[in-house]
Amino acid sequence: MISVKNLKKTYFLGGEEVHALDDVSLSIKEHEFVAIIGQSGSGKSTFMNMLGCLDRPDSGEITLDGTDILKCKEKELSVIRNKKIGFIFQQFHLLPKLSALENVELPLIYQGMPTKKRREKAVKALKAVGLEKRMNHKPNQLSGGQQQRVAIARALVGEPSLILADEPTGNLDSRSGKEIMMLLHN
């Protein structure tokens, strides 16, 4: 599913050279559940952004589901992000003027899915994360944990082959966290 070879990424912060990724290599098979752990500033988010086609390394190789993503043009990367990758960001990135249901529908809109089918899939995804009674609420009307669940539903709704999650249970109690991890596993 994923092959990463000799990935390097260096940033320059305040005149100082920071090696966010230094010769990282790994393979992840289909259906594997992998956690990347490390201290703050160790390159976890940088690595996730590389896998998610949001950033490019200085050198190395990344193959995602048979595609060399470093050879893809931005338009191709956009299609890959939309159809193959579900993102669960630490900061949620929900659009404040949209309801939970509309936020979950967004990736399906970009895929060009017809309204009726898109709505059905979004409702199903929100039910799966326990938010069937909060679908029409805007993000500011939801708790942090509920916003996290909306973000998870949005990541899962398009049935991506890869889910990239940055602390997906960070704002949930332990019971809810276990439920979400089971949902992601399934």
Side-chain angles (χ1 to χ4, degrees):
M1 181 66 174
I2 298 171
S3 175
V4 175
K5 293 181 183 166
N6 308 110
L7 214 58
K8 294 184 180 194
K9 182 68 174 184
T10 302
Y11 294 103
F12 294 92
L13 299 172
E16 188 177 324
E17 193 173 282
V18 178
H19 299 282
L21 300 175
D22 191 12
D23 205 26
V24 175
S25 297
L26 99 121
S27 285
I28 301 172
K29 295 178 181 149
E30 191 172 13
H31 301 292
E32 270 192 302
F33 215 90
V34 177
I36 309 290
I37 58 173
Q39 297 175 342
S40 180
S42 64
K44 299 180 306 290
S45 294
T46 298
F47 186 61
M48 190 169 98
N49 287 339
M50 301 289 168
L51 293 180
C53 307
L54 297 171
D55 197 2
R56 291 187 178 265
D58 298 330
S59 63
E61 300 174 22
I62 304 173
T63 305
L64 174 60
D65 204 16
T67 301
D68 182 345
I69 62 174
L70 299 180
K71 291 183 179 174
C72 293
K73 299 198 181 322
E74 186 52 43
K75 192 170 186 174
E76 294 168 297
L77 292 175
S78 181
V79 170
I80 290 169
R81 280 190 299 266
N82 195 323
K83 296 196 182 250
K84 292 191 175 214
I85 304 172
F87 292 96
I88 304 170
F89 295 103
Q90 198 171 11
Q91 308 304 25
F92 314 138
H93 298 298
L94 300 178
L95 296 179
K97 293 186 179 184
L98 300 182
S99 68
L101 183 61
E102 292 165 330
N103 267 286
V104 173
E105 284 183 297
L106 273 177
L108 304 177
I109 291 170
Y110 294 129
Q111 288 180 12
M113 188 174 288
T115 306
K116 184 178 179 191
K117 185 175 180 184
R118 178 177 80 224
R119 183 66 42 116
E120 288 170 2
K121 285 182 72 93
V123 166
K124 184 179 175 185
L126 283 165
K127 284 182 179 178
V129 297
L131 288 178
E132 59 274 1
K133 294 181 178 158
R134 308 288 287 176
M135 287 189 223
N136 296 312
H137 290 74
K138 292 198 169 37
N140 69 350
Q141 299 170 315
L142 301 170
S143 70
Q146 290 169 332
Q147 289 179 44
Q148 181 82 329
R149 288 170 179 268
V150 172
I152 291 166
R154 182 182 57 197
L156 299 177
V157 74
E159 300 172 21
S161 52
L162 173 64
I163 298 169
L164 295 174
D166 192 356
E167 299 190 36
T169 61
N171 290 306
L172 303 175
D173 59 61
S174 61
R175 184 182 61 81
S176 298
K178 285 179 184 175
E179 290 171 8
I180 292 303
M181 291 308 288
M182 286 303 300
L183 182 63
L184 290 173
H185 181 74
N186 292 337

